[in-house]
């Protein structure tokens, strides 16, 4: 059974940093891609960043345009954790953040959320101004 559990969200102030965690069980991070996505109030779910299964073989993380510069995705294979570091938080970063996984593929768009099969329940991030 594939299970993803997010943690690390909360209420923070603009300018703060936050690290979200995604605990992955039931699959290997060396065969599954993992992505972070977010859904702001009244908006559709959107891609944030994703890390490929093939990181050790030359694959690279991908970032949505809105996430470039302040967001960093990383993973710890031994702990089966994927992290999303968010720096200089802004009120517009307020959203529920989800992690998701799919069987790894070099040919499919890493940020295509429709391609992800397994989803966590999400963690709320609220940024006050």
């Amino acid at each position: 059974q594939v299970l993803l559990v997010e943690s690390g969200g909360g209420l923070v102030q603009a300018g703060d940093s936050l690290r979200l965690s995604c605990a992955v069980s039931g699959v290997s991070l060396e065969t599954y891609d993992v992505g972070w996505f977010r859904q702001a109030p009244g908006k559709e779910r959107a891609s944030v960043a994703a890390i490929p299964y093939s990181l050790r073989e030359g694959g690279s993380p991908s970032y949505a345009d809105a996430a470039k510069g302040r967001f960093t995705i990383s993973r710890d294979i031994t702990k089966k954790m994927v992290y999303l570091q968010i720096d200089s938080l802004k009120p517009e970063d307020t959203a529920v953040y989800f992690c998701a996984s799919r069987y790894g593929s070099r040919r499919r768009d890493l940020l295509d959320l429709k391609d992800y099969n397994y989803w966590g329940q999400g963690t709320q991030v609220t940024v006050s101004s």
Side-chain angles (χ1 to χ4, degrees):
Q1 180 183 2
V2 181
L3 188 64
L4 296 95
V5 180
E6 304 93 337
S7 61
L11 173 63
V12 297
Q13 292 193 336
D16 286 350
S17 294
L18 205 58
R19 189 177 80 159
L20 306 181
S21 300
C22 174
V24 182
S25 59
V27 295
S28 169
L29 295 181
E30 293 184 286
T31 55
Y32 274 68
D33 303 325
V34 177
W36 281 97
F37 306 86
R38 67 183 181 182
Q39 188 163 15
K43 295 189 177 181
E44 292 187 352
R45 196 169 297 188
S47 302
V48 176
I51 194 162
Y53 77 99
S54 58
L55 198 63
R56 286 184 174 178
E57 292 82 36
S60 300
S62 289
Y63 295 90
D65 287 343
K68 291 177 181 176
R70 296 189 297 115
F71 291 69
T72 305
I73 190 170
S74 61
R75 71 180 187 184
D76 186 323
I77 289 178
T78 55
K79 294 182 179 178
K80 301 192 76 172
M81 298 290 290
V82 177
Y83 305 102
L84 184 69
Q85 175 73 31
I86 313 172
D87 297 319
S88 302
L89 277 153
K90 303 176 180 180
E92 50 263 43
D93 294 322
T94 294
V96 178
Y97 285 74
F98 301 88
C99 64
S101 68
R102 70 177 191 191
Y103 187 72
S105 171
R106 293 177 184 264
R107 289 174 292 183
R108 301 197 305 269
D109 181 2
L110 207 54
L111 294 175
D112 185 355
L113 61 86
K114 299 187 299 296
D115 212 32
Y116 283 76
N117 312 100
Y118 305 102
W119 290 81
Q121 293 300 306
T123 184
Q124 176 72 48
V125 173
T126 302
V127 184
S128 64
S129 57

